[in-house]
């Protein structure tokens, strides 16, 4: 039952509107955050911690409903239960044959996994939920290892701040056209794994060494990883494919540009492109191009213009009056066209922070996302930097070259993978 004063439904934010129309068994739009502890998980205590956490994030009780013109989120009374991990990573949550919640909490040995459907929130929002969940769990699981004073919550935004649609808060009618059609990009191909399966390859390295490696080359850590990824993809391209640019799309957390504590989606993207048929194929040349692209595009002015251009479509009156079944077709086609301009993506969630006395109880955090193409995500915690690849393909040539190049730079990379039959 909805609590008095709490909304019973929410409109989907601007970024979320495309996901219900474009989700499929090949591209579930689900991403996973993982927290590994030093001790095995107690399912009963994890359930108690989840119950407390959801009280702070009521929107996580929502299900997706269809309206006449848009999808929307509606509060539900569905049970919220932790489950032992049994399904393949990022198994589809929506569309579903039955009404279901838009997230799941899983456990396996000493690992807590949060899987979220992207229409509910973005990486930053999901990470805040997971950190709150881990916080509540450790208070119950390890009270003897914590001081008598209760540590501060890692995310203490008010309920109003958590549920705010920041796209609506900061939208301004654009004065010109910003979104441009991109040329067709190189597409990674390969033999697919069975439907709904992903191959995960995770590389762990020391954060201090990774930062020093980037600093020595005059770039940020994200710029270094994007450049190495571009170069690694090029290494596996056929000669006849090199006339197409390699394009890496990078999600950008708009909370870094606008004051927002929203637990919902609030991100934009920027594309980093390199045409190996026109430029040098050395890593140094790619690094220079990536650095320039980031410096030019990651500004408040550019991010504001990009956000306003995306939101303008939502505020277009004729488009708003188009029935939902027609919108589904339009958005599906638009998504297919947009994918042609992208080779892969790299998402850097950044540093994960927990109360200092809890950090000693946690081994690491990691993140990866499902996709119809290989994608990479990264985050850091407690001196470790983790880059995770998720791919629907059996072969892992790009990943092999990527981590081999990092090792050549002097980074000691520890690789782990999920067990997938028939993998190369």
């Amino acid at each position: 039952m909805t609590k008095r004063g709490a909304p019973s439904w929410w409109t989907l934010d601007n970024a979320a509107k495309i996901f219900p129309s474009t989700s499929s068994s090949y591209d579930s739009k689900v991403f996973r955050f993982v927290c590994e502890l030093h001790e095995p998980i107690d399912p009963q205590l994890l359930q108690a911690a989840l119950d407390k956490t959801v009280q702070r994030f009521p929107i996580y009780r929502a299900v997706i409903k269809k309206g006449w013109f848009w999808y929307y989120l509606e509060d539900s009374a569905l049970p919220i239960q932790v489950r032992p991990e049994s399904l393949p990573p990022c198994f589809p949550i929506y569309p579903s044959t039955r009404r279901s919640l838009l997230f799941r909490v899983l456990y396996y040995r000493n690992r807590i996994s949060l899987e979220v459907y992207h229409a509910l929130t973005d990486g930053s929002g999901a990470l805040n939920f997971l950190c709150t969940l881990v916080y509540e769990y450790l208070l119950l699981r390890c009270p003897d290892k914590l001081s008598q004073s209760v540590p501060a919550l890692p995310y203490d935004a008010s309920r109003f701040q958590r549920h705010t649609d920041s796209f609506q808060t900061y939208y301004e009618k654009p004065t010109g056209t910003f979104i441009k059609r991109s040329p067709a990009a190189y597409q990674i191909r390969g033999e697919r794994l069975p439907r709904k399966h992903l191959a995960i390859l995770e590389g762990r390295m020391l954060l201090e060494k990774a930062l020093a490696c980037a600093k020595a080359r005059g770039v940020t850590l994200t710029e270094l990883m994007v450049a190495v990824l571009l170069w690694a993809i090029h290494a596996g391209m056929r000669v006849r494919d090199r006339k197409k640019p390699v394009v890496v799309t990078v999600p950008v957390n708009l909370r870094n540009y606008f004051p927002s504590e929203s637990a919902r989606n609030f991100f934009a993207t920027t594309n980093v492109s390199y045409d190996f048929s026109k430029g040098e194929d050395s890593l140094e040349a790619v690094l220079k191009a990536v650095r320039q692209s980031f410096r030019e595009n990651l500004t408040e002015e550019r991010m504001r213009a990009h956000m306003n251009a995306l939101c303008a479509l939502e505020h277009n009156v004729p488009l708003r009056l188009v029935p939902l079944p027609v919108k589904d077709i339009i958005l599906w086609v638009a998504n297919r066209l947009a994918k042609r301009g992208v080779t892969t993506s790299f998402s850097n969630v950044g540093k994960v922070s927990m109360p200092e006395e809890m950090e000693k109880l946690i081994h690491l955090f990691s993140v990866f996302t499902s996709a119809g193409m290989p994608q990479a995500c990264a985050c850091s915690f407690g001196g470790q930097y983790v880059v995770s690849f998720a791919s629907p393909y059996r072969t892992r040539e790009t990943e092999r070259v990527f981590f081999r190049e990092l090792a050549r730079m002097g980074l000691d990379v520890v690789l782990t993978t999920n067990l997938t039959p028939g993998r190369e």
Side-chain angles (χ1 to χ4, degrees):
M1 181 179 295
T2 305
K3 293 183 178 180
R4 181 176 297 178
S8 59
W9 66 279
W10 300 264
T11 58
L12 289 181
D13 58 70
N14 177 266
K17 281 183 164 59
I18 194 171
F19 296 123
S21 302
T22 58
S23 302
S24 68
S25 57
Y26 284 110
D27 189 1
S28 65
K29 311 296 185 186
V30 174
F31 57 93
R32 174 188 285 198
F33 274 96
V34 176
C35 176
E36 290 187 11
L37 305 180
H38 292 297
E39 297 183 0
I41 302 301
D42 183 321
Q44 291 184 333
L45 295 183
L46 182 60
Q47 181 65 55
L50 178 59
D51 293 340
K52 288 187 176 182
T53 301
V54 172
Q55 290 178 11
R56 294 193 174 96
F57 297 82
I59 200 170
Y60 274 68
R61 292 185 176 277
V63 297
I64 287 184
K65 300 294 289 291
K66 290 184 178 181
W68 286 102
F69 302 104
W70 292 109
Y71 294 91
Y72 63 96
L73 300 175
E74 184 179 77
D75 194 18
S76 78
L78 292 175
I80 302 177
Q81 296 179 327
V82 302
R83 309 174 193 171
E85 187 171 340
S86 58
L87 296 172
C90 298
F91 197 79
I93 291 178
Y94 183 92
S96 174
T97 55
R98 59 183 177 83
R99 191 173 64 156
S100 63
L101 297 171
L102 305 178
F103 78 105
R104 57 173 75 103
V105 174
L106 311 170
Y107 62 90
Y108 176 74
R109 295 182 178 175
N110 63 329
R111 185 172 65 206
I112 300 172
S113 298
L114 171 67
E115 293 191 340
V116 182
Y117 182 52
H118 218 325
L120 183 62
T121 186
D122 58 15
S124 295
L127 181 58
N128 286 329
F129 183 92
L130 177 60
C131 287
T132 303
L133 173 63
V134 173
Y135 168 89
E136 293 290 357
Y137 175 77
L138 291 177
L139 287 181
L140 297 172
R141 183 71 171 85
C142 308
D144 55 321
K145 297 181 180 180
L146 302 173
S147 62
Q148 292 184 353
S149 59
V150 178
L153 266 170
Y155 176 60
D156 61 354
S158 68
R159 179 173 295 190
F160 174 79
Q161 290 174 317
R162 293 188 185 109
H163 291 165
T164 295
D165 182 350
S166 291
F167 285 107
Q168 297 297 332
T169 301
Y170 295 107
Y171 169 72
E172 297 176 319
K173 187 176 181 179
T175 55
T177 302
F178 178 79
I179 299 176
K180 299 179 181 180
R181 184 175 179 180
S182 302
Y186 169 70
Q187 302 292 311
I188 300 173
R189 306 293 184 186
E191 182 185 354
R192 284 188 174 272
L193 292 163
R195 186 178 294 192
K196 303 178 184 178
H197 283 71
L198 286 175
I200 312 300
L201 183 62
E202 184 177 273
R204 305 175 184 180
M205 63 204 82
L206 292 178
L207 175 62
E208 185 178 2
K209 280 192 172 184
L211 289 170
C213 187
K215 184 177 180 181
R217 290 161 176 79
V219 295
T220 66
L221 186 51
T222 300
E223 289 168 351
L224 175 65
M225 296 299 155
V226 170
V228 175
L229 180 56
L230 284 164
W231 189 80
I233 293 171
H234 166 258
M237 294 172 66
R238 299 174 300 186
V239 173
R240 64 178 179 271
D241 290 328
R242 293 179 181 176
K243 61 184 179 181
K244 293 183 178 180
V246 181
V247 181
V248 176
T249 187
V250 181
V252 180
N253 184 2
L254 291 176
R255 299 168 185 83
N256 295 329
Y257 299 89
F258 304 93
S260 172
E261 294 290 338
S262 177
R264 303 174 68 182
N265 286 292
F266 193 43
F267 72 97
T269 60
T270 184
N271 286 346
V272 182
S273 175
Y274 194 86
D275 191 335
F276 288 91
S277 68
K278 298 178 181 179
E280 298 180 29
D281 61 1
S282 66
L283 180 57
E284 290 72 20
V286 179
L287 276 167
K288 182 178 179 181
V290 170
R291 180 173 60 242
Q292 181 178 350
S293 178
F294 270 69
R295 301 294 192 273
E296 291 177 353
N297 293 315
L298 295 188
T299 65
E300 181 178 341
E301 181 182 3
R302 286 291 185 99
M303 289 297 102
R304 185 183 295 276
H306 186 68
M307 181 191 71
N308 288 337
L310 292 174
C311 291
L313 297 175
E314 177 186 352
H315 289 82
N316 181 281
V317 175
L319 181 61
R320 290 172 64 181
L321 297 177
V322 173
L324 183 58
V326 179
K327 279 195 179 82
D328 280 338
I329 297 173
I330 294 173
L331 292 174
W332 185 86
V333 171
N335 183 64
R336 293 282 295 181
L337 293 175
K339 281 185 175 181
R340 293 180 182 178
V342 174
T343 306
T344 186
S345 75
F346 182 88
S347 177
N348 182 20
V349 177
K351 182 181 179 181
V352 181
S353 298
M354 289 292 291
E356 185 176 353
E357 56 189 308
M358 287 186 170
E359 289 190 357
K360 62 187 178 184
L361 306 174
I362 303 170
H363 178 47
L364 61 78
F365 282 86
S366 63
V367 57
F368 57 85
T369 183
S370 69
M373 64 183 78
Q375 296 198 28
C377 299
C379 67
S380 65
F381 174 81
Q384 289 194 81
Y385 184 66
V386 183
V387 180
S388 303
F389 282 86
S391 174
Y393 300 127
R394 296 186 184 278
T395 55
R396 308 304 295 272
E397 182 63 17
T398 297
E399 296 89 319
R400 184 184 66 82
V401 176
F402 177 89
F403 286 118
R404 186 181 64 183
E405 183 61 23
L406 294 184
R408 191 191 65 79
M409 292 178 179
L411 299 179
D412 297 321
V413 183
V414 178
L415 297 177
T416 59
T417 184
N418 62 336
L419 300 178
T420 305
R423 282 281 316 284
E424 291 186 5

